[in-house]
Amino acid sequence: MSTVLLVIGVVIGVAYVYRHIVVKGERCTSQARLHGKTVIVTGSNTGIGKTTAIDLAQRGARVILACRCKKRGEAALEEIKRESGNNQVVFMQLDLGNLKSVRSFTETFLKSEPRLDILINNAGICLQGQTEDGFGLMFGVNHLGHFLLTNLLLGRLKECGASRIINVSSMAHNFGKVDFDCLNTNKALGLGTSFIRVLQIYCDSKLCNVLFNHELAKRLQGTKVTCYALHPGAISSELGRNTSLFLQIILKPITTFFFKNTIQGCQTTLHCALQAGIEPLSGRYFSNCTVRDLYAKAKDDAAAKKLWEMSERLCALV
């Protein structure tokens, strides 16, 4: 009996340490104030996007909530204003799965907003389907929509001096690949709707984020714009809200105890957006507020350039 109690005590102790040290992670230590600065956060009506927006608004930034759903976006707008005490928060509708919507958003933004200091490409989904333009949903939303958005806003970012682009990826990119043949043939990173296939394609889309960041940094050399990719941590948020109810119920105790909450999960985003002195690390990948090394496939010059050029063609930028 005493041995059983000892084992239980050890398990509880290990779980406590994991929960409060490993899961909790590092915090952004920047005390930067953002009065006079403008920030766009995609997918900011929920999850780490919303907590990121709240923090930036609390620092005095003018925050643009770029979200697909008008109802949810406007509800988040009121919540963020209330939580931050900042009325300089604006909702602008953006559907990253519709390239026409991306162009409309940027046109509206560029006409109405004189500055852009930080662009946070945060939105992401883990769901199969097709975009309005016929692309695989995860390729279209997680990569292509952000690719077009960033390119259309680069001019304004350059005009505003030292500005930053943050690309929220995931450690899942380590398990990803980019099947250029499948992209050429099917305009998707992969096919299939099984749980394993959906997870694999999600990983593929996160690798696209890191390769995009790698190539973007090269193209930004000589400007005052820098870019960073990051893994926010395993987050207990709404990313998996489109999975089956059964799976959500099964995973809920695990995600609640072993995953970061959204405040913990947005810390690396805030670090990359705000931390002074990281400009020489443009193009690098961060996790837990620390720069990390990448596997060769995630910094492959040829693959990054090929993905960029293909994305340009698909977005009709060339």
Side-chain angles (χ1 to χ4, degrees), residues 28-35 37 39 55-61 118 164 270-277:
C28 170
T29 59
S30 173
Q31 300 298 312
R33 304 300 298 170
L34 299 175
H35 296 285
K37 305 288 187 181
V39 184
D55 186 287
L56 296 170
Q58 288 172 336
R59 294 170 186 265
I118 305 171
R164 296 185 181 184
L270 294 170
H271 176 85
C272 291
L274 304 172
Q275 187 63 41

Side-chain angles (χ1 to χ4, degrees), residues 47-266:
I48 62 172
K50 183 163 70 175
T51 50
T52 298
I54 291 171
D55 186 287
L56 296 170
Q58 288 172 336
R59 294 170 186 265
R62 180 171 175 81
V63 180
I64 311 300
L65 310 180
C67 314
R68 179 181 61 85
C69 177
K70 189 172 187 288
K71 182 179 178 181
R72 289 163 64 95
E74 290 178 342
L77 172 67
E78 295 309 313
E79 181 183 347
I80 292 167
K81 283 182 176 180
R82 184 173 62 251
E83 288 276 332
S84 66
N86 182 352
N87 284 323
Q88 291 295 303
V89 184
V90 179
F91 166 72
M92 291 189 185
Q93 196 161 21
L94 169 66
D95 182 356
L96 289 160
N98 183 333
L99 298 183
K100 184 178 178 181
S101 173
V102 177
R103 291 182 183 277
S104 176
F105 170 88
T106 55
E107 183 179 350
T108 300
F109 175 84
L110 292 171
K111 284 180 179 177
S112 61
E113 300 290 335
R115 296 193 62 84
L116 179 57
D117 301 276
I118 305 171
L119 169 62
I120 301 179
N121 292 323
N122 165 82
I125 59 167
C126 185
L127 178 70
Q128 268 291 56
Q130 267 196 341
T131 71
E132 291 286 335
D133 307 287
F135 300 109
L137 195 59
M138 284 184 275
F139 176 67
V141 172
N142 296 359
H143 168 68
L144 202 60
H146 281 130
F147 175 87
L148 178 59
L149 178 70
T150 302
N151 274 278
L152 294 178
L153 293 173
L154 270 181
R156 183 59 49 84
L157 285 158
K158 291 175 181 177
E159 290 170 6
C160 294
S163 54
R164 296 185 181 184
I165 300 164
I166 315 302
N167 295 302
V168 179
S169 179
S170 165
M171 71 173 295
H173 82 270
N174 288 316
F175 307 100
K177 65 184 187 306
V178 181
D179 186 339
F180 288 104
D181 290 336
C182 189
L183 277 176
N184 275 318
T185 304
N186 302 295
K187 300 206 301 188
L189 289 163
L191 304 175
T193 57
S194 70
F195 174 75
I196 295 299
R197 288 300 301 146
V198 170
L199 193 59
Q200 179 61 60
I201 295 164
Y202 175 76
C203 295
D204 300 344
S205 73
K206 294 291 100 180
L207 178 58
C208 286
N209 295 155
V210 180
L211 289 171
F212 165 55
N213 189 71
H214 181 74
E215 180 67 16
L216 178 61
K218 290 186 172 186
R219 293 170 183 257
L220 290 174
Q221 288 176 2
T223 75
K224 292 185 178 180
V225 185
T226 53
C227 61
Y228 313 89
L230 66 95
H231 167 57
I235 313 296
S236 179
S237 70
E238 294 189 12
L239 179 64
R241 63 184 178 273
N242 295 305
T243 57
S244 70
L245 179 61
F246 174 76
L247 190 60
Q248 290 181 47
I249 293 170
I250 294 297
L251 292 177
K252 184 64 176 177
I254 299 171
T255 59
T256 300
F257 191 82
F258 290 104
F259 285 21
K260 292 181 178 182
N261 61 38
T262 56
I263 293 174
Q264 294 162 346
C266 74

